[in-house]
Amino acid sequence: MLNVNKDTITDLVIAALDKDIAPRNRQILTSLIRHMHDFCREVDLSFAEWLAACEFLRRAGDISDEKRNEFILISDILGVEVLVDMLDHKVTDGESESTVLGPFYRENPPVLPKGASIIKKTFDNAKTVMVSGRIVDTAGRPIEGVTIDVWEDAPNGLYDLQDPEQPAYNLRGRFMTDADGEYAFVALRPEPYPIPYDGAGGELLNYMGHHPWRPGHIHFMLSKDGYQSLISQIYDSETKYLDNDSVFAVKQSLIGQFKKAPTGANTDLVLDFDFKLKKAAVERLAAAE
């Protein structure tokens, strides 16, 4: 007869895993089961607390759809997504650091020429900025033909997906680096904004006693065949919440300086920021051979 008690239950569940499941499945499930059971024992979890957690997850599912995944938001609030990103995109060759994608990316943004503006709607008191820089490899050589998707929130703290008053694809664009690896576009100085807190994610923030605010930033997605794609953000060095990001995604190397534009420039500010891309694993292997 099985002797099921609080000390034996963990091994019994693990023993129920089929011997023919994939090794990675076994590794993940074994560790997950042990950590979950140890957590319950450590905090002496009550039945009411367990049920409340199940109901919390149900509410997260209720509010989720193809445009909003509340479980990703919850993982952001707990620092899980940024941790997984760091584990999966370890810096090994001096390449630029990555960070979280966020929930507001849109596919197929308008393709624009170097130096074009991504601004489709003006806002009172907003500051325009010329964003430019170079994309190079880890040896410092310029990379031509890198596709760069950029997107940011408007001065009201909303992305176009959230705001029916903004035209579609406002503050979004796709650019290509030139022969010198250079890119440039005109944007607005990004503003801090709150992550959605009207659902289960907001409940979790209240439980933590934490705020929903993210510092001002511009999103970047860089890709080119033969190189490891990069998802990153540039943070304004003068923005609020830089040291207290609600999703813990700020990294020192991704902080940029928004400077006053020189006399005669067509923007209020300038931001110069370079990225380094690492060659893809297949490319590195071929070079080594």
Side-chain angles (χ1 to χ4, degrees):
M1 182 179 293
L2 292 177
N3 181 22
V4 181
N5 58 51
K6 67 180 180 64
D7 297 316
T8 64
I9 181 66
T10 304
D11 289 337
L12 289 171
V13 176
I14 292 171
L17 300 176
D18 191 282
K19 63 181 179 61
D20 294 326
I21 63 174
R24 180 60 171 167
N25 292 15
R26 179 176 297 280
Q27 179 188 15
I28 289 173
L29 287 171
T30 298
S31 183
L32 176 64
I33 292 164
R34 289 199 184 281
H35 282 288
M36 289 182 67
H37 286 210
D38 286 344
F39 160 75
C40 293
R41 284 186 285 258
E42 179 183 339
V43 302
D44 196 18
L45 195 70
S46 71
F47 190 88
E49 289 166 333
W50 166 82
L51 184 59
C54 291
E55 284 297 299
F56 168 77
L57 294 175
R58 181 189 58 76
R59 290 192 295 276
D62 286 345
I63 202 171
S64 296
D65 56 26
E66 67 278 359
K67 293 182 179 180
R68 174 175 178 172
N69 188 324
E70 197 74 0
F71 294 98
I72 292 178
L73 181 64
I74 290 168
S75 76
D76 288 342
I77 292 168
L78 294 174
V80 175
E81 184 181 0
V82 71
L83 173 59
V84 172
D85 177 70
M86 289 187 287
L87 293 171
D88 199 40
H89 299 101
K90 299 178 180 69
V91 176
T92 59
D93 299 317
E95 70 274 16
S96 295
E97 290 189 283
S98 62
T99 192
V100 298
L101 174 67
F104 300 114
Y105 174 69
R106 292 185 76 170
E107 295 185 352
N108 303 313
V111 178
L112 301 170
K114 179 183 176 183
S117 175
I118 62 173
I119 305 166
K120 290 189 174 185
K121 178 180 179 178
T122 58
F123 290 82
D124 292 341
N125 302 316
K127 297 285 188 180
T128 57
V129 55
M130 172 62 76
V131 183
S132 61
R134 297 174 73 233
I135 312 299
V136 300
D137 64 18
T138 53
R141 296 178 294 247
I143 308 175
E144 182 179 5
V146 178
T147 298
I148 307 174
D149 283 11
V150 298
W151 66 103
E152 63 171 333
D153 68 316
N156 63 1
L158 299 173
Y159 288 82
D160 63 324
L161 288 168
Q162 302 171 287
D163 186 1
E165 299 300 318
Q166 292 184 48
Y169 291 96
N170 184 43
L171 298 173
R172 298 177 186 271
R174 175 171 291 172
F175 299 88
M176 191 83 72
T177 55
D178 62 18
D180 295 318
E182 295 179 350
Y183 73 91
F185 62 92
V186 175
L188 294 177
R189 187 172 205 168
E191 294 290 336
Y193 65 86
I195 58 175
Y197 57 93
D198 57 333
E203 293 180 44
L204 178 58
L205 286 170
N206 289 334
Y207 194 84
M208 296 169 64
H210 199 209
H211 67 79
W213 289 89
R214 295 221 61 210
H217 59 276
I218 301 174
H219 291 267
F220 280 75
M221 179 185 291
L222 288 69
S223 61
K224 179 179 170 63
D225 288 345
Y227 293 86
Q228 184 171 292
S229 296
L230 177 68
I231 295 172
S232 199
Q233 300 172 18
I234 300 177
Y235 296 90
D236 184 348
S237 63
E238 298 180 12
T239 185
K240 294 175 66 175
Y241 308 106
L242 198 62
D243 297 322
N244 195 18
D245 181 11
S246 62
V247 301
F248 312 101
V250 178
K251 299 177 181 178
Q252 186 65 40
S253 67
L254 302 180
I255 298 174
Q257 304 289 327
F258 286 70
K259 299 178 181 178
K260 184 177 180 181
T263 302
N266 62 356
T267 58
D268 301 305
L269 305 164
V270 294
L271 169 65
D272 186 66
F273 202 94
D274 298 339
F275 290 98
K276 286 185 178 181
L277 296 185
K278 178 170 61 177
K279 286 188 176 180
V282 174
E283 294 287 326
R284 294 198 303 273
L285 180 61
E289 294 175 347

